[in-house]
Amino acid sequence: ESTMRLIYFDIPGKAEAIRLCAAVAGVPLEDVRVTREEFAEMKAKGELPYGQVPALDVGEGKFLAQSSAILRYVGTIGGLHPASDPLAAARIDAIVAEEEDMFCGISVSRYGARFGFEFTGREDYRAQVRKLLNDEVLPRHLRFLETLLADSATGWLANTERPSIADFVFVPRLQWLVSGANDGIDGDLLTKFPRVAGLVEKLMGLKEVVAYYATKGK
């Protein structure tokens, strides 16, 4: 049986949750990192559903698209997403959906044209948006996460024994959020949310994650 191929750029971005999930779950996954030129060529050939990456090549010319769907699939076949318990799976999926809500504003403020907004020449407006995101919107969502973790006996977002896809999707995004890549977002934003900061440390401390970064480099 051929190994699945995950196609994405050589950045964490939307693929890191999938890479980490596969590493922890022990799912064989070829990590294919394409250049922008290679991506444009694949897109022009119509090889990518929705013309986007990440895309998962599952063999026989079939591709699965959309990062959350790929993550759910990899988590399920790796035993980290409860296929036999629909309610438990739905609770995890709800937390994954919360990540989409939380990061929606940041995405629009970064990639305005993709969503029908134009920020070129309106940097003052973008700065206003980022200030509201930093001061009000993001803290509101981080409080939701802090509450979930306060109610968790295991330290994972969905109170699962092992990390769920919700943990894999949030941790790389939270790291990126405060990495300095987003003007106007405080680098110390997570310090007011100690359980959230602890979640990042907990996931990054897993032996499989440590081993993954030892081979891949950060």
Side-chain angles (χ1 to χ4, degrees), residues 19 36-37 47 55 78-79 102 106 114 117 119 124 149-150 161 167 173 178 184 190 196 216 218:
R19 293 166 178 154
R36 297 281 167 179
E37 292 75 23
E47 292 178 355
M102 178 175 173
I106 284 284
R114 189 183 299 174
F117 293 89
F119 288 104
D124 55 335
L149 291 166
E161 191 177 328
D167 302 297
R173 293 288 273 166
V178 296
L190 300 187
V196 175
K216 288 290 176 190
K218 281 198 179 181

Side-chain angles (χ1 to χ4, degrees), residues 87-210:
L87 183 57
R91 287 189 174 122
I92 293 166
D93 290 342
I95 301 171
V96 173
E98 161 61 13
E99 183 270 336
E100 294 166 8
D101 283 354
M102 178 175 173
F103 283 88
C104 178
I106 284 284
S107 295
V108 172
S109 70
R110 281 181 73 92
Y111 309 110
R114 189 183 299 174
F115 298 95
F117 293 89
E118 188 50 74
F119 288 104
T120 308
R122 303 177 68 199
E123 293 307 316
D124 55 335
Y125 179 56
R126 191 201 303 263
Q128 286 174 28
V129 170
R130 288 285 173 88
K131 180 162 176 41
L132 276 171
L133 289 171
N134 185 77
D135 297 352
E136 297 179 28
V137 177
L138 293 169
R140 182 172 73 242
H141 287 282
L142 287 166
R143 283 193 292 274
F144 293 151
L145 299 186
E146 196 76 1
T147 300
L148 283 173
L149 291 166
D151 292 341
S152 172
T154 64
W156 301 118
L157 282 166
N159 196 24
T160 46
E161 191 177 328
R162 298 177 72 200
S164 74
I165 62 170
D167 302 297
F168 290 114
V169 81
F170 259 109
V171 167
R173 293 288 273 166
L174 290 167
Q175 289 180 306
W176 169 79
L177 180 67
V178 296
S179 66
N182 300 288
D183 292 345
I185 305 301
D186 291 343
D188 61 355
L189 188 62
L190 300 187
T191 58
K192 299 166 194 157
F193 304 93
R195 289 184 177 90
V196 175
L199 171 70
V200 174
E201 289 182 18
K202 183 177 172 70
L203 189 85
M204 296 304 288
L206 291 175
K207 66 180 188 298
E208 299 93 342
V209 173
V210 172

